[in-house]
Amino acid sequence: MNGFKTAMLLAALTALFMGLGYIFGGAGGAMIALVLAAGMNLFTFWNADSIVLRMHNAREVDERTAPDFYNLVADLARRAQLPMPRVYLVESANPNAFATGRNPEHAAVAATTGLIERLTREEVAAVMAHELGHVKNRDTLIMTMVATIAGAISMIANFGLFFGGHGEDRPNPIAAMAAVFMAPFAAMIVQMAISRTREFGADRAAAEISGNPRALASALAKIAGPAQSVPSVASERNPAAAQLYIVPTSVSDLFSTHPATEKRIAALMAMEDVAPRRSASALDPTRK
């Protein structure tokens, strides 16, 4: 059902993209928009990871350059029964993390230096388990595709008003103005609907992978405020990228791509209350 809902919402984004093409270019514009949407989705399918990583100037690390972080992710990947993803660090004070890639075999996970500096090892493990949850649930491709189309809708809305034909071929000015303001808003609503559903799913997966929902709840409480107040260069350049992060970079709950942090924490604590006590692990060797 979740996959069906996501497919419908992605189709709605594509239809919105075609609608903009029709407003600014008629039937021909709608067909061009459809071809562009298909081309962007195909390009994103093969290049999802490189698009996102380049956007953040992410640096790949390994056992030699970042042994603690790399080995932590490796242990979590084994627990999740996933192929080892590529591991990246992003030099940013904004405390956040994300996952990308078209499938688990081509996945990458990244954390900012600000996140690692603010959290305990156990909390970092829980956050990276959340990102691996996105990989396991195969969210990463759809989230990158949605971000790509939503960004393109905003771009066409901004440029279409000024380049949408000449003379009698120009679009109706009222319809064009409505498109300029309403299309990006509609794209944002669809984007939020997809992202919010998948964040709860990744939280549940993180609790299962790490065995410690309380650690993720603690991490979310620590980074939610700083993630909104500390600038994120990547999300400022492309606001559609905000849905990729574990916590939002927007202060508005109404227009956030994520569920309210308080609701996520409450759900995680409910899992803690019913979860059996877990055995010791390499992530938390002192647990009894």
Side-chain angles (χ1 to χ4, degrees):
M1 187 62 188
N2 189 42
F4 177 76
K5 177 182 176 182
T6 298
M8 291 299 97
L9 291 171
L10 187 59
L13 271 182
T14 303
L16 181 59
F17 194 53
M18 291 179 64
L20 274 179
Y22 182 81
I23 288 175
F24 293 118
M31 289 304 300
I32 291 173
L34 177 60
V35 172
L36 285 175
M40 284 190 300
N41 285 339
L42 183 62
F43 179 81
T44 302
F45 178 82
W46 290 107
N47 300 279
D49 51 351
S50 59
I51 292 171
V52 174
L53 294 168
R54 191 178 300 116
M55 184 190 307
H56 291 85
N57 293 319
R59 169 173 58 90
E60 187 169 7
V61 297
D62 54 26
E63 284 185 291
R64 182 180 57 83
T65 55
D68 289 343
F69 183 53
Y70 183 88
N71 289 330
L72 180 149
V73 174
D75 186 71
L76 289 167
R78 283 192 294 269
R79 292 165 64 112
Q81 298 182 325
L82 286 169
M84 180 62 189
R86 286 173 294 146
V87 182
Y88 289 80
L89 284 174
V90 177
E91 295 292 335
S92 172
N94 183 284
N96 240 309
F98 61 86
T100 186
R102 65 180 181 269
N103 54 38
E105 290 71 33
H106 298 86
V109 294
T112 65
T113 52
L115 180 133
I116 293 176
E117 290 167 0
R118 287 177 182 270
L119 302 183
T120 66
R121 177 180 171 81
E122 191 173 39
E123 290 165 344
V124 172
V127 168
M128 301 317 295
H130 171 97
E131 300 309 328
L132 289 174
H134 279 307
V135 174
K136 194 175 183 71
N137 294 342
R138 296 180 178 267
D139 295 339
T140 51
L141 175 62
I142 216 61
M143 292 166 68
T144 306
M145 291 171 70
V146 168
T148 301
I149 295 180
I153 286 173
S154 297
M155 181 183 68
I156 286 186
N158 289 331
F159 284 95
L161 181 62
F162 302 101
F163 300 100
H166 303 280
E168 294 183 355
D169 293 330
R170 288 192 65 84
N172 181 290
I174 297 177
M177 287 297 295
V180 166
F181 292 105
M182 295 303 296
F185 179 77
M188 181 179 63
I189 296 298
V190 174
Q191 187 181 8
M192 288 189 304
I194 294 175
S195 185
R196 289 187 179 192
T197 299
R198 293 182 178 275
E199 288 306 314
F200 279 123
D203 284 347
R204 287 192 297 272
E208 296 171 0
I209 294 168
S210 69
N212 193 353
R214 183 180 293 273
L216 181 56
S218 174
L220 291 175
K222 283 185 179 180
I223 65 178
Q228 293 177 349
S229 60
V230 177
S232 169
V233 175
S235 63
E236 288 177 353
R237 290 175 180 169
N238 183 6
Q243 67 156 340
L244 301 172
Y245 305 145
I246 187 170
V247 290
T249 53
S250 169
V251 297
S252 171
D253 288 338
L254 179 61
F255 298 115
S256 173
T257 55
H258 292 57
T261 302
E262 294 78 9
K263 292 182 179 179
R264 295 173 66 186
I265 291 174
L268 287 163
M269 295 309 295
M271 295 179 207
E272 173 76 9
D273 292 339
V274 300
R277 297 183 68 84
R278 58 193 172 88
S279 58
S281 76
L283 297 178
D284 185 13
T286 60
R287 183 81 174 201
K288 303 299 184 184

